[in-house]
Amino acid sequence: MVNLKGKDILHGAQFSREELERIMDLADTFRIQLADRPGLDLLEGYVLATLFFEPSTRTRLSFETAMHRLGGNVVGFSSAESSSVAKGETLADTIHTVDQYVDMIVMRHPALGSAAEAASIAHSPVINGGDGAGQHPTQALLDLYTVRSECGKIDGIILVLCGDLKNGRTVHSGVEVYKHFNCKLIFVAPEQLKMPAEITSRLKSLGIQFEETNDLVSAIRHADALYMTRIQKERFVNPADYDLLRNSFILTREMIEANNPKLTVLHPLPRVNEITTDVDGLAGAAYFRQAKNGVYVRMALLAMIAGKM
Ligand code: CP
């Protein structure tokens, strides 16, 4: 029995396969329902807070869209500077206060573990919209949903994860959901930005198949899907290190057409330089559909946390 009522969403590892399937099925239902009407009234009267201490386009706006399309309301801020944190207020006091106003909180914050800290304070459910280089669990849910929609299945696919696997919180959450589906994972990263050892060790202990390489072309040749990620400039202490690594992998149309024309290409976005814009016209370029899926998946999550589904 799947029941997310009142639950915090903090880490990709918290979901069972049954919960993942239920979220994706419900996202499908909302996608179909929204095809012939602009919105629903399921969460009428509910208020969601979106507290974004770091920049965001997709996560914040898709959560807000999801809440509006469910008939609820949204309050929040999009930068620390526009909140009383700029006057010196602590995260704890900010959460204590917002918790008095709303029914659910989505938060993005640069500090690792900040979402768990917020959840320990708030009575309202807290959804982690990204905590530093830690986790971004709702992105992993919409990525999983997009793989299912685009590839027609998740079980047994070959999925390449490429880019900044050290700092990319979407891939840290991603492996935690893909592990339920017997996918073969190929990690492509420069040596300095490999998947953290604590994650690869855990995958090994769970018997999850993965390979590590820095050869993107070979990796995509037999893959079903490629998940490109941005080199996370904001996590580098030394700008020169970023400059050295920023163009480590650039996916081009030519690479796809020569090696795997049927490849499904995902990216959590924003992209900087890692997918050339001529890829956008290929049938397998799924990243803007993926962004749209964020609304359906986040609708499903909000409805389930509210206990309406
Ligand atoms: N994918 C993602 O988290 O995008 P934003 O940073 O725009 O929210």
Side-chain angles (χ1 to χ4, degrees):
M1 169 72 181
V2 171
N3 182 4
L4 295 186
K5 184 177 179 182
K7 293 254 173 81
D8 299 311
I9 306 297
L10 302 178
H11 200 289
Q14 77 183 77
F15 299 105
S16 65
R17 175 164 176 150
E18 195 185 6
E19 286 169 338
L20 295 170
E21 304 266 19
R22 176 74 184 121
I23 293 165
M24 290 191 286
D25 290 346
L26 190 53
D28 267 340
T29 302
F30 286 134
R31 182 177 52 76
I32 292 162
Q33 289 181 350
L34 288 185
D36 61 9
R37 79 198 88 159
L40 314 169
D41 58 8
L42 196 65
L43 294 193
E44 193 180 342
Y46 281 75
V47 181
L48 171 72
T50 53
L51 311 184
F52 279 67
F53 296 87
E54 268 194 345
S56 169
T57 296
R58 279 144 291 270
T59 308
R60 186 171 69 83
L61 296 185
S62 65
F63 261 116
E64 294 187 356
T65 303
M67 194 56 168
H68 286 302
R69 295 226 186 262
L70 286 166
N73 299 294
V74 179
V75 296
F77 50 79
S78 56
S79 68
E81 291 70 36
S82 62
S83 76
S84 284
V85 168
K87 300 178 217 162
E89 188 167 45
T90 62
L91 175 63
D93 282 358
T94 304
I95 297 297
H96 264 307
T97 304
V98 174
D99 195 31
Q100 313 304 313
Y101 303 150
V102 304
D103 305 294
M104 299 176 218
I105 297 170
V106 181
M107 188 180 85
R108 171 172 290 184
H109 194 281
L112 189 69
S114 50
E117 183 192 344
S120 72
I121 294 164
H123 293 100
S124 313
V126 171
I127 302 171
N128 183 0
D131 62 328
Q135 288 281 311
H136 192 349
T138 67
Q139 180 70 45
L141 297 176
L142 76 93
D143 295 342
L144 189 74
Y145 177 73
T146 304
V147 168
R148 188 173 86 166
S149 325
E150 298 286 331
C151 300
K153 62 174 184 175
I154 309 169
D155 281 305
I157 67 159
I158 300 175
L159 175 63
V160 178
L161 306 178
C162 176
D164 187 349
L165 306 186
K166 176 185 174 195
N167 298 304
R169 54 197 176 197
T170 68
V171 291
H172 299 167
S173 292
V175 295
E176 301 291 354
V177 298
Y178 298 124
K179 74 185 183 201
H180 293 288
F181 295 86
N182 195 29
C183 303
K184 179 177 175 188
L185 302 173
I186 304 178
F187 301 147
V188 181
E191 187 60 32
Q192 301 91 323
L193 300 176
K194 286 171 71 174
M195 188 68 85
E198 64 265 26
I199 295 180
T200 52
S201 300
R202 199 170 58 261
L203 293 177
K204 271 183 203 157
S205 70
L206 293 170
I208 308 297
Q209 293 185 77
F210 71 90
E211 281 174 24
E212 294 185 282
T213 176
N214 57 13
D215 183 349
L216 177 58
V217 169
S218 298
I220 65 171
R221 216 162 265 146
H222 304 291
D224 297 285
L226 166 65
Y227 188 83
M228 284 299 282
T229 65
R230 176 177 66 90
I231 306 295
Q232 306 276 303
K233 182 180 184 181
E234 63 275 31
R235 310 286 170 225
F236 283 75
V237 178
N238 181 358
D241 292 340
Y242 170 72
D243 286 337
L244 202 66
L245 295 168
R246 61 192 297 182
N247 292 325
S248 297
F249 299 102
I250 299 176
L251 181 73
T252 64
R253 188 180 184 117
E254 196 183 349
M255 276 166 70
I256 297 170
E257 287 176 340
N259 294 285
N260 188 348
K262 291 193 171 157
L263 185 70
T264 294
V265 182
L266 297 100
H267 192 308
L269 303 176
R271 73 174 147 188
V272 179
N273 200 28
E274 56 281 349
I275 302 179
T276 56
T277 53
D278 59 0
V279 174
D280 298 2
L282 293 176
Y287 27 93
F288 291 111
R289 295 191 289 276
Q290 183 182 355
K292 185 171 187 177
N293 288 340
V295 174
Y296 307 130
V297 168
R298 287 168 172 139
M299 286 176 76
L301 207 52
L302 294 175
M304 291 170 77
I305 292 170
K308 297 288 186 182
M309 289 289 180

mmCIF file of all heavy atoms in Angstrom, residues 77-95:
data_model
loop_
_atom_site.group_PDB
_atom_site.id
_atom_site.type_symbol
_atom_site.label_atom_id
_atom_site.label_comp_id
_atom_site.label_asym_id
_atom_site.label_seq_id
_atom_site.Cartn_x
_atom_site.Cartn_y
_atom_site.Cartn_z
ATOM 1 N N PHE A 77 9.765 32.722 -2.118
ATOM 2 C CA PHE A 77 10.774 33.665 -2.626
ATOM 3 C C PHE A 77 11.751 32.898 -3.501
ATOM 4 O O PHE A 77 11.882 31.678 -3.400
ATOM 5 C CB PHE A 77 11.485 34.412 -1.483
ATOM 6 C CG PHE A 77 12.025 33.538 -0.376
ATOM 7 C CD1 PHE A 77 13.221 32.840 -0.527
ATOM 8 C CD2 PHE A 77 11.334 33.422 0.835
ATOM 9 C CE1 PHE A 77 13.725 32.062 0.501
ATOM 10 C CE2 PHE A 77 11.845 32.634 1.873
ATOM 11 C CZ PHE A 77 13.038 31.951 1.701
ATOM 12 N N SER A 78 12.433 33.669 -4.383
ATOM 13 C CA SER A 78 13.295 33.019 -5.364
ATOM 14 C C SER A 78 14.777 33.312 -5.119
ATOM 15 O O SER A 78 15.619 32.910 -5.917
ATOM 16 C CB SER A 78 12.905 33.461 -6.770
ATOM 17 O OG SER A 78 12.964 34.859 -6.856
ATOM 18 N N SER A 79 15.081 34.009 -4.038
ATOM 19 C CA SER A 79 16.489 34.223 -3.682
ATOM 20 C C SER A 79 16.565 34.568 -2.205
ATOM 21 O O SER A 79 15.618 35.143 -1.641
ATOM 22 C CB SER A 79 17.102 35.361 -4.505
ATOM 23 O OG SER A 79 16.514 36.588 -4.125
ATOM 24 N N ALA A 80 17.699 34.242 -1.593
ATOM 25 C CA ALA A 80 17.885 34.573 -0.178
ATOM 26 C C ALA A 80 17.788 36.082 0.018
ATOM 27 O O ALA A 80 17.268 36.561 1.028
ATOM 28 C CB ALA A 80 19.242 34.060 0.288
ATOM 29 N N GLU A 81 18.265 36.837 -0.977
ATOM 30 C CA GLU A 81 18.311 38.305 -0.877
ATOM 31 C C GLU A 81 16.918 38.915 -0.738
ATOM 32 O O GLU A 81 16.756 40.010 -0.207
ATOM 33 C CB GLU A 81 19.004 38.917 -2.108
ATOM 34 C CG GLU A 81 20.500 38.628 -2.197
ATOM 35 C CD GLU A 81 20.807 37.164 -2.512
ATOM 36 O OE1 GLU A 81 20.049 36.533 -3.278
ATOM 37 O OE2 GLU A 81 21.800 36.647 -1.964
ATOM 38 N N SER A 82 15.897 38.218 -1.264
ATOM 39 C CA SER A 82 14.546 38.782 -1.176
ATOM 40 C C SER A 82 13.776 38.242 0.035
ATOM 41 O O SER A 82 12.573 38.447 0.168
ATOM 42 C CB SER A 82 13.763 38.509 -2.472
ATOM 43 O OG SER A 82 13.626 37.127 -2.657
ATOM 44 N N SER A 83 14.488 37.566 0.942
ATOM 45 C CA SER A 83 13.860 37.097 2.186
ATOM 46 C C SER A 83 14.576 37.764 3.360
ATOM 47 O O SER A 83 15.591 38.449 3.180
ATOM 48 C CB SER A 83 14.013 35.582 2.307
ATOM 49 O OG SER A 83 15.344 35.263 2.691
ATOM 50 N N SER A 84 14.100 37.522 4.576
ATOM 51 C CA SER A 84 14.739 38.131 5.756
ATOM 52 C C SER A 84 16.055 37.458 6.131
ATOM 53 O O SER A 84 16.717 37.894 7.079
ATOM 54 C CB SER A 84 13.759 38.127 6.939
ATOM 55 O OG SER A 84 12.799 39.138 6.737
ATOM 56 N N VAL A 85 16.448 36.430 5.379
ATOM 57 C CA VAL A 85 17.796 35.873 5.535
ATOM 58 C C VAL A 85 18.829 36.979 5.255
ATOM 59 O O VAL A 85 19.893 37.033 5.890
ATOM 60 C CB VAL A 85 17.988 34.667 4.583
ATOM 61 C CG1 VAL A 85 19.447 34.239 4.503
ATOM 62 C CG2 VAL A 85 17.118 33.502 5.056
ATOM 63 N N ALA A 86 18.474 37.888 4.323
ATOM 64 C CA ALA A 86 19.371 39.007 3.996
ATOM 65 C C ALA A 86 19.592 39.917 5.204
ATOM 66 O O ALA A 86 20.567 40.661 5.250
ATOM 67 C CB ALA A 86 18.805 39.804 2.822
ATOM 68 N N LYS A 87 18.672 39.848 6.191
ATOM 69 C CA LYS A 87 18.844 40.663 7.414
ATOM 70 C C LYS A 87 19.515 39.854 8.518
ATOM 71 O O LYS A 87 19.622 40.310 9.642
ATOM 72 C CB LYS A 87 17.472 41.132 7.913
ATOM 73 C CG LYS A 87 16.699 41.983 6.937
ATOM 74 C CD LYS A 87 15.337 42.338 7.555
ATOM 75 C CE LYS A 87 14.256 42.348 6.522
ATOM 76 N NZ LYS A 87 12.913 42.267 7.112
ATOM 77 N N GLY A 88 19.862 38.616 8.219
ATOM 78 C CA GLY A 88 20.572 37.803 9.200
ATOM 79 C C GLY A 88 19.728 36.710 9.834
ATOM 80 O O GLY A 88 20.182 36.034 10.761
ATOM 81 N N GLU A 89 18.488 36.518 9.380
ATOM 82 C CA GLU A 89 17.648 35.468 9.973
ATOM 83 C C GLU A 89 18.227 34.086 9.647
ATOM 84 O O GLU A 89 18.742 33.854 8.555
ATOM 85 C CB GLU A 89 16.213 35.570 9.442
ATOM 86 C CG GLU A 89 15.264 34.623 10.169
ATOM 87 C CD GLU A 89 13.796 34.918 9.894
ATOM 88 O OE1 GLU A 89 13.431 35.147 8.723
ATOM 89 O OE2 GLU A 89 13.010 34.910 10.864
ATOM 90 N N THR A 90 18.117 33.167 10.584
ATOM 91 C CA THR A 90 18.644 31.815 10.363
ATOM 92 C C THR A 90 17.662 30.997 9.522
ATOM 93 O O THR A 90 16.468 31.325 9.438
ATOM 94 C CB THR A 90 18.839 31.066 11.696
ATOM 95 O OG1 THR A 90 17.551 30.947 12.323
ATOM 96 C CG2 THR A 90 19.815 31.780 12.601
ATOM 97 N N LEU A 91 18.198 29.898 8.963
ATOM 98 C CA LEU A 91 17.327 28.970 8.230
ATOM 99 C C LEU A 91 16.255 28.425 9.172
ATOM 100 O O LEU A 91 15.076 28.337 8.815
ATOM 101 C CB LEU A 91 18.161 27.825 7.637
ATOM 102 C CG LEU A 91 17.359 26.720 6.940
ATOM 103 C CD1 LEU A 91 16.612 27.273 5.717
ATOM 104 C CD2 LEU A 91 18.271 25.567 6.506
ATOM 105 N N ALA A 92 16.655 28.092 10.393
ATOM 106 C CA ALA A 92 15.708 27.499 11.356
ATOM 107 C C ALA A 92 14.536 28.444 11.615
ATOM 108 O O ALA A 92 13.361 28.022 11.595
ATOM 109 C CB ALA A 92 16.430 27.171 12.656
ATOM 110 N N ASP A 93 14.828 29.723 11.841
ATOM 111 C CA ASP A 93 13.746 30.679 12.118
ATOM 112 C C ASP A 93 12.882 30.906 10.877
ATOM 113 O O ASP A 93 11.666 31.098 10.984
ATOM 114 C CB ASP A 93 14.324 32.012 12.614
ATOM 115 C CG ASP A 93 14.739 31.942 14.088
ATOM 116 O OD1 ASP A 93 14.545 30.874 14.718
ATOM 117 O OD2 ASP A 93 15.252 32.952 14.605
ATOM 118 N N THR A 94 13.512 30.894 9.717
ATOM 119 C CA THR A 94 12.743 31.054 8.468
ATOM 120 C C THR A 94 11.752 29.897 8.320
ATOM 121 O O THR A 94 10.572 30.107 8.029
ATOM 122 C CB THR A 94 13.703 31.084 7.247
ATOM 123 O OG1 THR A 94 14.645 32.127 7.449
ATOM 124 C CG2 THR A 94 12.950 31.306 5.948
ATOM 125 N N ILE A 95 12.234 28.686 8.558
ATOM 126 C CA ILE A 95 11.368 27.507 8.418
ATOM 127 C C ILE A 95 10.271 27.519 9.482
ATOM 128 O O ILE A 95 9.093 27.272 9.177
ATOM 129 C CB ILE A 95 12.203 26.204 8.487
ATOM 130 C CG1 ILE A 95 13.195 26.145 7.315
ATOM 131 C CG2 ILE A 95 11.293 24.967 8.507
ATOM 132 C CD1 ILE A 95 12.574 26.096 5.935
#
